[in-house]
Amino acid sequence: MSKERISIPEIIDLMVKDKNITKKTADEFIRILISTLEDALLSGDSVKIKGFGTFKPQWNEARRSVDVNTGNEIIIPGYYRVIFVPENELRDLINEPYSHLETILLSDDEDVENKQVDDQNQSSKEDNSTIEKSETNLTFFSTQAAEIKEILSDINALSAKVTADESDDENVDDDDFISDDEDFQGVVENDDDPESVDSEVENEEFSDEEIVKNISEKADILQTKSDELGETQEQTDERNEKINQEFEPQIPSEQNDEAMKKSSQKKEKKDLQVKNISENDAERLLSSHDDNDFDIVRGVAILLERERNAGIKQEDEGIQEDADQVVSDEMEIDSGEPKDDILEEVVSDKSEIDAEQPIAMDEEILKESAEADINEESSETVESHEITTTSEREESDEKTPEIEEVTETIAQDEPVNADDISAEIEDEKIEEQPILSEEEQPVLDEEESVFEEQPSVDEDIESPLTVSETKDIPVDSESEFAYLENEVGFVAESNETDILRIDDSEYIGVIEGSTEPDENALNKNEIEPDEEPDGKRRKITGLWIAVISLAAVAVGFYFLHPIVGNIMREKKNQERLEYIADSIANLKKVQFIKDSIITNQANDSSLPASRDSINSANASSLTDSVAKAPAQKPTATKTETTSNNTNIYAAPRSYRETLATEKMVIGSQLTKFAKKYYGHPNFWVYIFEANRDKISDPNNVPTGIDIKIPKMNPKLIDPLNKESMNYALKLQSEYLR
Amino acid sequence: MNNKELISTIALKMNVSKSEVQDLVNTFLDTCITQLQEDNVVGFQSFGTLEVTKRDERISVHPQSKERFLIPPKLVVNFKQSAILKEKMNSKL
């Protein structure tokens, strides 16, 4: 770590250098700034500098501590301190190297493993100088080359499995196989050979060999070019480790080499693409490699394409089957090699090259890499790549256009190694056209033109061209469409097949001549399930649905709230009315009783009963008094009880029926009786009510009297029913007042 | 004091326009921030230093849900006041 201390004069120098500020002004400014800060802080005022942060004085309270020398307890007195709180912008800016990290929720066993890895990478990154970074490139590429070789061996195994008619193939020109960019031309020409076009599926097998050879050659190229790359091993490690890591901002010593410049440019483009592509950041990272990988992968991919196309030329179905078989064969070869990463990287690099057609690039690269990929892993990543690219280009997911796009994009590549290859590929395409039938030409031309016109990643821009074209031309042969459909579907499913399919689709149109470009485009537009766009669309639509539903709910609440409130109010009013009716009835009973009392004033027994009844009228225990004067109003109670079906608690209780009779002795309590007969001591209130004539004060029940235990409505004495409990408690509080 | 007051105070003392002062401030901050990004220590004599330090990752527990979180490492900018400033502060305040 080389932490230099920058002092004021140095800052002045830096200030003077960039802008047209005199040294004197800068010096004066800094001095005055510092003094102003100090003055403000010394007066207890905090100073906020916009875009930087706040300096503020902070008071630290006195605290207990220990004297270091004597070990005695000491109190550190309170003091003021100047602290600096950075602004959010500054904070993010400084934390740039770690900005991709987020806090994660740990399961019980999880530990800091992942973060430690990041940590190491980060620290290593911090420590690296550009020189150090360049040293790691070699190691990285050598490992990649080793991986490629492993993959090649797998391919060889695969090709060995396939039937061996390779020698017969005209396309089989091992010698012609490209070890350099120049050689591509030769390969391309071979593919263009019309005879080879008619050749059997054998070409596919042969293509495997070719692919293997090409890959091996490319691996060698990788090795040689390893010096050119300027990425740190650590960065690559990080990429490999963190799938979700964003593209690292740091780009090592690229500026030295052209290749590195290009890679940096590519990376910049890639950054743009990364931003455009919502998914698969990890893949982007992986693919954020450099030219070398790109070349190799591209070459391999191209070879694979060629071979596949050659094989496909026979029939739609035949080609399909062949492609399937080849794909399946290739898939069997899964070795989980990191070569996929390399390929992906190359592919991604390729995508970087063409800023104008990033989507096309991505697709092509994906397809190419998929071809070369034997690994399932790579296939997955390719798939994701493809998905991302397909998402970018909703309507034109065809493989053939992609291939042509690739050629187009390649043509537009900057002067890199890839240029040669791309030029060759273009030439190849061009050569193919005259060879093929006229119909084939327009197919290619249209597709190419379509893609040439695609200026940007914007799908909309691309689609109108293709869509319009496709719409105009009617579908010709079902078989072709079926093939394309299958192709498209297949593409969505697996990576490896994608590339093959691309070739197949392309060649179907080209070879057979019957297919029109529009058809293909149409098929692809219609059929191809853009997983990612669909996914994106689905996501977006899902989001929209959620938003709209929420809005509807909110609106519903807004509108219905008053209605609901009214309904509630009405219910409450009903209840109140009932209660009022009950109370009115009670009052009437009271009146009646009163009248009866007045008429029967001589009757002493009725007086206390009536008093009780009057007192307890409001407590809806009118039935008690009524029971006391049962002769007068037996019917009333009955009617009342029956009329209060809706509200048991408001109903006046009649205690005419008794469960049992208990004698009050010393030590007996109403609560005990309640618990015995009703199951909960809280229900003593009902026993009290039933014996009000005998008990005036529930706290002081006279001994020696007989208490009758009334038979209660079970709902009222249900200890499990909250309402009954609450009601009993309410009565209890009332009586205990 | 907020940014505006600061600018006006400096403009007053320097006898230059506020916009100029703002430009100066911006330049000054840019240079400081660049230096900080390059992991250098920016020091002001008798005032303090600005430095970038790394905070290691740590495991913290949410008190209610008892969930354990792994907080990633991060770089923060630190200001360390100079002793002279501290003295001044405590003698005056």
Side-chain angles (χ1 to χ4, degrees), chain A residues 1-8 11 14-15 18-19 21 25-26 28-30 32-52 55-59 78-84 86 90-91 93-98 101-116 118-119 122-123 126, chain B residues 1-6 9-16 20-60 65-81 84-93:
Chain A
M1 272 260 267
S2 51
K3 264 200 177 183
E4 301 173 14
R5 184 178 170 115
I6 308 288
S7 59
I8 294 180
I11 294 180
L14 287 165
M15 280 177 75
D18 295 336
K19 325 282 172 174
I21 303 173
T25 353
E28 199 185 338
F29 166 74
I30 292 180
I32 291 178
L33 175 69
I34 302 284
S35 68
T36 320
L37 280 175
E38 263 193 57
D39 294 337
L41 288 166
L42 285 173
S43 58
D45 192 12
S46 66
V47 182
K48 177 182 169 191
I49 304 180
K50 190 167 143 196
F52 199 55
F55 289 92
K56 51 175 134 179
Q58 189 189 59
W59 168 252
Y79 58 95
Y80 276 100
R81 196 176 147 229
V82 174
I83 63 166
F84 172 69
L90 178 63
R91 216 185 306 167
L93 209 58
I94 296 288
N95 197 35
E96 191 68 39
Y98 291 103
L101 301 177
E102 285 179 1
T103 81
I104 55 176
L105 184 58
L106 290 182
S107 60
D108 287 339
D109 297 333
E110 235 182 280
D111 206 354
V112 294
E113 301 163 1
N114 298 333
K115 289 300 178 182
Q116 277 172 356
D118 298 344
D119 215 18
Q122 290 299 338
S123 56
E126 293 166 6
Chain B
M1 58 166 77
N2 58 11
N3 204 46
K4 271 193 269 181
E5 292 175 26
L6 181 72
T9 325
I10 297 177
L12 203 63
K13 287 191 187 172
M14 279 180 77
N15 276 329
V16 290
E20 275 192 47
V21 173
Q22 182 68 63
D23 289 337
L24 278 170
V25 168
N26 292 341
T27 333
F28 171 71
L29 292 181
D30 288 336
T31 47
C32 284
I33 291 172
T34 336
Q35 288 306 309
L36 287 173
Q37 281 180 318
E38 292 177 15
D39 211 14
N40 294 328
V41 175
V42 180
F44 304 104
Q45 198 58 258
S46 305
F47 189 68
T49 69
L50 283 158
E51 180 184 21
V52 174
T53 29
K54 180 179 171 197
R55 300 240 184 278
D56 294 329
E57 58 188 351
R58 56 192 168 94
I59 299 178
S60 78
S65 61
K66 305 288 183 220
E67 292 169 323
R68 289 167 67 223
F69 290 97
L70 182 65
I71 296 173
K74 67 172 175 177
L75 297 171
V76 295
V77 54
N78 244 13
F79 173 76
K80 206 166 178 187
Q81 65 178 358
I84 303 166
L85 182 63
K86 178 173 177 179
E87 255 190 67
K88 281 195 206 170
M89 288 279 285
N90 288 305
S91 61
K92 251 199 175 181
L93 291 175

Side-chain angles (χ1 to χ4, degrees), chain A residues 399-458:
Chain A
K399 297 186 187 177
T400 57
E402 289 170 0
I403 296 172
E404 296 185 340
E405 281 182 5
V406 172
T407 60
E408 295 302 329
T409 59
I410 294 168
Q412 299 178 13
D413 283 348
E414 294 168 349
V416 193
N417 295 332
D419 282 348
D420 295 337
I421 300 171
S422 61
E424 293 164 7
I425 294 168
E426 274 189 79
D427 294 341
E428 179 183 3
K429 295 258 183 211
I430 294 168
E431 287 172 352
E432 290 174 351
Q433 290 178 4
I435 293 169
L436 298 169
S437 67
E438 294 177 356
E439 294 177 3
E440 297 168 5
Q441 260 185 342
V443 172
L444 290 171
D445 289 339
E446 286 183 20
E447 291 176 342
E448 286 179 352
S449 64
V450 164
F451 289 97
E452 281 175 350
E453 294 173 4
Q454 294 171 351
S456 66
V457 179
D458 190 357

Side-chain angles (χ1 to χ4, degrees), chain A residues 60-74:
Chain A
N60 289 1
E61 285 294 335
R63 56 194 159 100
R64 292 180 151 276
S65 181
V66 177
D67 183 7
V68 288
N69 294 326
T70 62
N72 297 333
E73 271 196 13
I74 257 185

Side-chain angles (χ1 to χ4, degrees), chain A residues 298-344:
Chain A
R298 199 161 36 139
V300 172
I302 291 163
L303 288 172
L304 283 168
E305 288 178 18
R306 297 278 159 248
E307 293 160 352
R308 295 260 166 246
N309 291 335
I312 294 166
K313 290 170 186 175
Q314 292 301 319
E315 295 173 357
D316 294 341
E317 296 178 4
I319 296 168
Q320 181 83 35
E321 292 168 1
D322 293 335
D324 291 337
Q325 191 183 16
V326 174
V327 172
S328 59
D329 288 339
E330 288 183 350
M331 291 185 76
E332 293 171 8
I333 298 177
D334 279 347
S335 58
E337 296 295 345
K339 186 191 172 189
D340 302 331
D341 298 339
I342 299 169
L343 293 173
E344 291 167 352

Side-chain angles (χ1 to χ4, degrees), chain A residues 568-706:
Chain A
M568 297 289 287
R569 256 176 258 143
E570 284 172 8
K571 276 190 184 168
K572 276 188 188 170
N573 290 339
Q574 275 182 4
E575 289 178 3
R576 280 190 205 142
L577 285 171
E578 286 177 1
Y579 183 77
I580 289 167
D582 291 341
S583 50
I584 289 170
N586 287 343
L587 282 172
K588 284 188 182 167
K589 285 185 197 168
V590 172
Q591 277 295 330
F592 185 86
I593 291 168
K594 251 191 186 173
D595 296 339
S596 65
I597 289 167
I598 291 166
T599 55
N600 296 333
Q601 278 202 342
N603 194 347
D604 290 340
S605 62
S606 65
L607 211 63
S610 61
R611 230 183 283 141
D612 284 337
S613 67
I614 293 168
N615 289 340
S616 60
N618 291 336
S620 73
S621 58
L622 186 59
T623 51
D624 273 355
S625 55
V626 175
K628 297 295 186 265
Q632 274 120 9
K633 284 289 170 189
T635 56
T637 54
K638 278 184 192 169
T639 55
E640 282 186 8
T641 49
T642 53
S643 67
N644 293 332
N645 287 337
T646 53
N647 197 339
I648 321 164
Y649 300 103
R653 290 179 282 280
S654 89
Y655 293 118
R656 290 189 297 144
E657 294 177 347
T658 56
L659 275 176
T661 310
E662 289 273 352
K663 190 169 177 99
M664 289 298 287
V665 293
I666 295 174
S668 57
Q669 294 177 6
L670 295 179
T671 49
K672 282 188 188 170
F673 293 149
K675 182 154 174 75
K676 180 177 168 185
Y677 290 101
Y678 301 143
H680 199 281
N682 271 1
F683 300 123
W684 66 265
V685 288
Y686 301 118
I687 302 177
F688 172 71
E689 284 176 3
N691 297 288
R692 271 197 112 130
D693 54 342
K694 302 195 188 86
I695 310 168
S696 54
D697 180 10
N699 289 326
N700 237 341
V701 180
T703 55
I705 58 167
D706 287 324

